[in-house]
Amino acid sequence: MERSPMLSWKLWRALNHPPLRSPLFRRAYARQYPPIESGLPAIRIPFTGLFRSAGLIVLPVVLILIGAPILALSYYLALSLAVILLPIANTIYGLLHTINASANIARERERQTYDVLCTALPGGLGMHWAYCTGWLHYHVIYRYALLGIVVTGVVASIFGLSSRLIFGAAPVPIIVIVIRTGVLGALFLLDFSQSIVISSLTTLIVPSYAENESNARLFAATIYLALQASVYLSTLLVTIYGLPGLLVLIGFSDDVSAALIPLLMLAFFIALRETLIAALWHAVEQQLSTNTLELDALTRSTV
């Protein structure tokens, strides 16, 4: 089968076009956290209005005097440590996604409704895809919070704070600074989208093997964390030890090496992630007997 040169981009677009008209999607979307109705009467607390009015006056003053300095310090630390915080945040978000979505699918197996749902159009892929995208779009507030962290990382790369932790603080030409800034910004954005793609592919695969909810959670967490750690650790080792030594061996000057290392790091990261994503999608095709054409038809993604 012909594959897209950027399979992760194809899957990312598909994830952002969920099957809204699918009954399976509505089932997954609505049943994760149904509304809780309480028959208890409302309890009225005396002087509530007085305390609320006083709070509207006192609370902003307290936040300005105490919260503003803490917020400024926290933001500076976030900028300085963005290169560490972003992979952690992406991994936590993807971990929550794959654990809970895989468990939701496995729960249907425990209820003996899994096979029935898989027989409905568009089959096993549609069932897994509905629960996978259902979690993402139900918990959209989590993604907005993660996007805020990504923006912090991009700002940190613009100010050169992130590059110091990876490439060192040695003085370099302005062109190298520009290259590092662009590379890190692109890396942060790619890591955000590809981490969600990997968690989604893990969600498509794991429930096909797991017989119950607890096994699905365990297998999904183990596989996803192993994939994330392998990418981050390999990229870090190649950037810090592999590329500098290779470029020195070839005979490049220090300035040329400083400009090439970020670009080669980005190329290595993209190649490694795309290889993993292609391997995971191949496993999805084998396990769910599907292909990317069925995914396009399912999501109406014009890729």
Side-chain angles (χ1 to χ4, degrees):
M1 186 191 71
E2 183 180 356
R3 294 186 182 275
S4 169
M6 282 292 287
L7 180 59
S8 61
W9 175 242
K10 185 184 189 74
L11 292 168
W12 172 248
R13 291 189 62 184
L15 287 170
N16 287 278
H17 293 79
L20 299 176
R21 299 180 180 179
S22 168
L24 288 174
F25 178 82
R26 292 197 295 268
R27 172 187 174 92
Y29 191 88
R31 291 188 59 187
Q32 292 189 56
Y33 295 97
I36 299 175
E37 296 182 359
S38 176
L40 297 177
I43 300 175
R44 297 184 63 86
I45 302 175
F47 305 108
T48 300
L50 178 61
F51 286 120
R52 186 185 299 115
S53 300
L56 292 175
I57 298 174
V58 176
L59 187 59
V61 177
V62 174
L63 290 177
I64 293 174
L65 296 179
I66 299 178
I70 296 177
L71 183 63
L73 178 60
S74 301
Y75 192 67
Y76 176 77
L77 291 176
L79 289 175
S80 302
L81 302 176
V83 72
I84 299 174
L85 295 178
L86 269 174
I88 293 176
N90 290 332
T91 300
I92 291 176
Y93 177 79
L95 185 64
L96 291 174
H97 171 217
T98 189
I99 286 177
N100 289 285
S102 298
N104 290 334
I105 298 174
R107 194 177 299 122
E108 299 291 355
R109 188 186 295 275
E110 290 182 332
R111 295 172 178 169
Q112 298 183 351
T113 56
Y114 177 83
D115 293 334
V116 175
L117 294 175
C118 285
T119 57
L121 291 176
L125 173 64
M127 190 271 181
H128 285 231
W129 190 259
Y131 278 76
C132 174
T133 55
W135 192 96
L136 288 173
H137 291 270
Y138 185 90
H139 299 87
V140 67
I141 189 65
Y142 292 172
R143 191 188 299 191
Y144 288 151
L146 189 59
L147 279 173
I149 301 176
V150 173
V151 171
T152 300
V154 173
V155 172
S157 65
I158 293 175
F159 286 106
L161 298 175
S162 297
S163 61
R164 296 176 184 175
L165 291 177
I166 300 179
F167 306 110
V172 292
I174 185 65
I175 184 62
V176 175
I177 296 176
V178 173
I179 291 175
R180 289 177 176 179
T181 299
V183 165
L184 288 177
L187 192 67
F188 291 152
L189 294 174
L190 282 172
D191 188 37
F192 165 73
S193 60
Q194 290 179 338
S195 293
I196 299 176
V197 169
I198 289 179
S199 70
S200 300
L201 291 174
T202 304
T203 301
L204 297 180
I205 297 171
V206 167
S208 301
Y209 297 95
E211 295 294 333
N212 53 62
E213 184 178 344
S214 59
N215 285 343
R217 291 180 182 274
L218 177 61
F219 295 161
T222 302
I223 293 173
Y224 180 72
L225 289 177
L227 292 173
Q228 289 289 91
S230 64
V231 172
Y232 293 143
L233 184 60
S234 299
T235 303
L236 185 63
L237 291 177
V238 166
T239 303
I240 295 178
Y241 299 106
L243 292 176
L246 177 62
L247 295 178
V248 169
L249 185 63
I250 295 176
F252 287 112
S253 64
D254 292 341
D255 289 343
V256 174
S257 297
L260 286 177
I261 287 176
L263 297 173
L264 294 175
M265 177 192 71
L266 180 62
F268 176 83
F269 182 86
I270 293 175
L272 183 57
R273 269 279 174 78
E274 286 296 321
T275 300
L276 288 177
I277 289 172
L280 289 171
W281 178 250
H282 179 71
V284 171
E285 290 178 328
Q286 295 294 319
Q287 189 62 27
L288 299 180
S289 301
T290 186
N291 52 54
T292 53
L293 296 179
E294 291 188 14
L295 180 63
D296 290 342
L298 173 66
T299 60
R300 300 180 182 272
S301 178
T302 57
V303 180

XYZ file of all heavy atoms in Angstrom, residues 138-183:
346
model
N -13.695 15.113 24.203
C -14.400 15.371 25.446
C -13.508 16.156 26.404
O -13.972 17.047 27.112
C -14.836 14.059 26.099
C -15.673 14.267 27.346
C -17.052 14.359 27.264
C -15.085 14.405 28.597
C -17.841 14.565 28.384
C -15.851 14.623 29.729
C -17.226 14.696 29.622
O -17.978 14.917 30.737
N -12.215 15.849 26.435
C -11.271 16.499 27.332
C -10.473 17.567 26.589
O -9.251 17.664 26.728
C -10.310 15.470 27.947
C -11.007 14.417 28.755
N -11.507 13.262 28.199
C -11.298 14.351 30.078
C -12.061 12.519 29.143
N -11.954 13.151 30.289
N -11.162 18.366 25.796
C -10.481 19.372 24.984
C -9.794 20.424 25.853
O -8.791 21.024 25.439
C -11.492 20.033 24.024
C -12.521 20.839 24.781
C -10.792 20.881 22.987
N -10.282 20.636 27.071
C -9.650 21.611 27.956
C -8.225 21.201 28.289
O -7.347 22.049 28.472
C -10.487 21.795 29.248
C -9.959 22.965 30.058
C -10.507 20.493 30.057
C -10.099 24.290 29.407
N -7.975 19.871 28.357
C -6.613 19.407 28.605
C -5.690 19.816 27.460
O -4.541 20.205 27.679
C -6.575 17.883 28.752
C -7.257 17.340 29.979
C -7.431 15.963 30.155
C -7.729 18.183 30.984
C -8.050 15.450 31.283
C -8.344 17.681 32.108
C -8.508 16.318 32.254
O -9.122 15.831 33.377
N -6.203 19.719 26.229
C -5.373 20.066 25.079
C -5.080 21.560 25.056
O -3.982 21.981 24.699
C -6.046 19.646 23.779
C -5.098 19.742 22.574
C -5.788 19.506 21.267
N -6.370 18.189 21.172
C -6.835 17.686 20.029
N -6.778 18.397 18.917
N -7.376 16.493 20.006
N -6.057 22.377 25.439
C -5.808 23.819 25.488
C -4.738 24.141 26.525
O -3.884 25.014 26.301
C -7.098 24.565 25.814
C -8.099 24.580 24.694
C -9.467 24.646 24.951
C -7.687 24.529 23.368
C -10.397 24.658 23.907
C -8.594 24.539 22.338
C -9.952 24.600 22.606
O -10.855 24.618 21.572
N -4.774 23.460 27.665
C -3.746 23.669 28.682
C -2.376 23.260 28.144
O -1.365 23.946 28.361
C -4.081 22.887 29.946
N -2.342 22.141 27.416
C -1.083 21.687 26.840
C -0.584 22.653 25.778
O 0.621 22.897 25.665
C -1.258 20.289 26.253
C 0.007 19.570 25.783
C 0.993 19.424 26.932
C -0.336 18.205 25.202
N -1.498 23.227 25.007
C -1.101 24.229 24.007
C -0.480 25.448 24.677
O 0.451 26.056 24.127
C -2.310 24.642 23.176
C -2.702 23.709 22.032
C -4.021 24.153 21.413
C -1.609 23.663 20.973
N -0.996 25.810 25.857
C -0.386 26.911 26.603
C 1.051 26.609 26.970
O 1.921 27.495 26.900
N 1.326 25.368 27.341
C 2.701 24.975 27.661
C 3.566 24.994 26.406
O 4.736 25.389 26.443
C 2.720 23.584 28.321
C 1.885 23.599 29.604
C 4.146 23.151 28.630
C 1.768 22.248 30.281
N 2.992 24.562 25.276
C 3.742 24.596 24.019
C 4.103 26.026 23.649
O 5.232 26.303 23.209
C 2.921 23.935 22.895
C 3.609 24.124 21.548
C 2.724 22.456 23.175
N 3.161 26.964 23.824
C 3.447 28.373 23.547
C 4.573 28.871 24.441
O 5.460 29.619 23.995
C 2.175 29.220 23.752
C 2.498 30.705 23.690
C 1.136 28.869 22.696
N 4.569 28.441 25.703
C 5.666 28.810 26.605
C 7.000 28.293 26.077
O 8.018 28.998 26.131
C 5.407 28.225 28.010
O 4.176 28.745 28.517
C 6.538 28.589 28.956
N 7.002 27.079 25.549
C 8.229 26.539 24.979
C 8.705 27.304 23.767
O 9.903 27.544 23.596
N 7.774 27.711 22.912
C 8.148 28.496 21.729
C 8.722 29.845 22.145
O 9.730 30.311 21.588
C 6.926 28.673 20.802
C 7.259 29.620 19.658
C 6.466 27.326 20.263
N 8.093 30.488 23.138
C 8.614 31.765 23.646
C 10.012 31.571 24.225
O 10.921 32.392 24.013
C 7.659 32.347 24.704
C 8.284 33.569 25.381
C 6.328 32.722 24.067
N 10.191 30.472 24.961
C 11.514 30.195 25.540
C 12.569 30.003 24.459
O 13.714 30.449 24.604
C 11.436 28.957 26.434
N 12.196 29.359 23.360
C 13.159 29.169 22.270
C 13.499 30.496 21.601
O 14.633 30.715 21.168
C 12.598 28.184 21.238
O 11.452 28.721 20.595
N 12.519 31.406 21.521
C 12.773 32.719 20.920
C 13.789 33.509 21.748
O 14.687 34.168 21.209
C 11.458 33.505 20.778
C 10.559 32.828 19.743
C 11.722 34.953 20.381
C 9.192 33.442 19.616
N 13.655 33.433 23.074
C 14.583 34.141 23.951
C 15.897 33.382 24.169
O 16.781 33.868 24.872
C 13.929 34.412 25.308
C 12.903 35.500 25.274
C 11.552 35.202 25.334
C 13.278 36.832 25.167
C 10.593 36.201 25.300
C 12.329 37.839 25.132
C 10.988 37.527 25.195
N 16.008 32.213 23.584
C 17.250 31.457 23.686
C 17.448 30.734 24.996
O 18.547 30.241 25.264
N 16.401 30.646 25.839
C 16.556 29.993 27.135
C 16.620 28.474 27.005
O 17.360 27.814 27.731
C 15.396 30.394 28.055
C 15.308 31.891 28.379
C 14.052 32.185 29.191
C 16.544 32.354 29.140
N 15.841 27.908 26.089
C 15.819 26.448 25.938
C 17.112 25.920 25.337
O 17.590 24.850 25.705
C 14.626 26.038 25.065
O 13.408 26.389 25.669
N 17.662 26.657 24.381
C 18.849 26.156 23.679
C 20.051 26.026 24.592
O 20.949 25.217 24.341
C 19.183 27.079 22.508
O 19.476 28.387 22.968
N 20.095 26.804 25.677
C 21.247 26.726 26.574
C 21.348 25.372 27.248
O 22.444 24.872 27.497
C 21.137 27.820 27.635
C 21.199 29.236 27.073
C 20.989 30.265 28.175
N 20.939 31.621 27.645
C 20.669 32.694 28.377
N 20.419 32.565 29.679
N 20.644 33.887 27.816
N 20.212 24.764 27.576
C 20.241 23.469 28.243
C 20.687 22.357 27.317
O 21.262 21.363 27.758
C 18.850 23.144 28.808
C 18.377 24.000 29.988
C 16.965 23.611 30.389
C 19.319 23.851 31.170
N 20.435 22.523 26.012
C 20.776 21.458 25.059
C 22.122 21.696 24.407
O 22.972 20.797 24.344
C 19.685 21.358 23.973
C 18.334 21.034 24.609
C 20.042 20.289 22.949
C 17.212 20.950 23.604
N 22.326 22.904 23.921
C 23.520 23.183 23.119
C 24.611 23.912 23.890
O 25.689 24.154 23.345
C 23.134 24.016 21.893
C 22.043 23.418 21.070
C 20.789 24.003 21.030
C 22.259 22.263 20.342
C 19.765 23.463 20.285
C 21.240 21.712 19.579
C 19.988 22.305 19.550
N 24.364 24.289 25.142
C 25.357 25.008 25.915
C 25.233 26.510 25.745
O 24.505 27.008 24.877
N 25.968 27.239 26.595
C 25.880 28.704 26.609
C 27.073 29.370 25.943
O 27.275 30.571 26.094
C 25.754 29.196 28.048
N 27.867 28.623 25.193
C 29.027 29.209 24.530
C 28.579 30.210 23.472
O 27.552 30.003 22.808
C 29.866 28.103 23.883
N 29.295 31.321 23.299
C 28.907 32.324 22.294
C 28.982 31.752 20.880
O 29.942 31.063 20.527
C 29.932 33.443 22.503
C 31.084 32.797 23.196
C 30.521 31.711 24.042
N 27.961 32.041 20.081
C 27.883 31.540 18.708
C 27.416 32.676 17.805
O 26.843 33.667 18.275
C 26.898 30.351 18.598
C 27.433 29.127 19.332
C 25.529 30.733 19.147
N 27.636 32.567 16.492
C 27.157 33.604 15.561
C 25.634 33.717 15.589
O 24.927 32.788 15.970
C 27.664 33.106 14.195
C 28.802 32.187 14.524
C 28.455 31.552 15.824
N 25.132 34.864 15.145
C 23.706 35.137 15.175
C 22.930 34.152 14.316
O 21.797 33.769 14.649
C 23.448 36.598 14.717
C 21.954 36.934 14.877
C 23.899 36.782 13.274
C 21.467 36.926 16.291
N 23.507 33.684 13.217
C 22.809 32.740 12.352
C 22.573 31.422 13.080
O 21.541 30.765 12.891
C 23.609 32.516 11.046
C 22.841 31.604 10.092
C 24.979 31.950 11.349
C 21.518 32.172 9.639
N 23.502 31.031 13.929
C 23.332 29.799 14.705
C 22.205 29.965 15.722
O 21.413 29.047 15.939
C 24.647 29.422 15.411
C 24.446 28.207 16.322
C 25.734 29.138 14.383
N 22.126 31.146 16.322
C 21.044 31.415 17.275
C 19.691 31.331 16.578
O 18.729 30.756 17.112
C 21.239 32.798 17.921
C 22.534 32.818 18.749
C 20.045 33.148 18.799
C 22.849 34.172 19.346
N 19.615 31.893 15.373
C 18.365 31.849 14.611
C 17.995 30.405 14.274
O 16.828 30.000 14.381
C 18.482 32.697 13.336
C 17.256 32.512 12.448
C 18.667 34.163 13.692
N 18.977 29.625 13.860
C 18.719 28.217 13.520
C 18.235 27.448 14.749
O 17.259 26.686 14.676
C 19.988 27.570 12.937
C 20.307 28.160 11.565
C 19.823 26.053 12.831
C 21.606 27.676 10.977
N 18.903 27.646 15.872
C 18.492 26.950 17.092
C 17.074 27.333 17.499
O 16.288 26.477 17.904
C 19.469 27.277 18.218
C 20.840 26.637 18.066
C 21.768 27.073 19.190
N 23.065 26.407 19.111
C 24.075 26.626 19.966
N 23.930 27.510 20.948
N 25.216 25.974 19.827
N 16.751 28.613 17.375
C 15.411 29.074 17.734
C 14.358 28.422 16.854
O 13.337 27.911 17.337
C 15.322 30.601 17.609
O 16.249 31.211 18.505
C 13.925 31.089 17.915
N 14.579 28.419 15.555
C 13.616 27.807 14.644
C 13.474 26.317 14.842
O 12.369 25.765 14.812
N 14.607 25.646 15.052
C 14.584 24.194 15.236
C 13.836 23.807 16.509
O 13.003 22.893 16.504
C 16.023 23.640 15.257
C 16.051 22.219 15.820
C 16.608 23.650 13.852
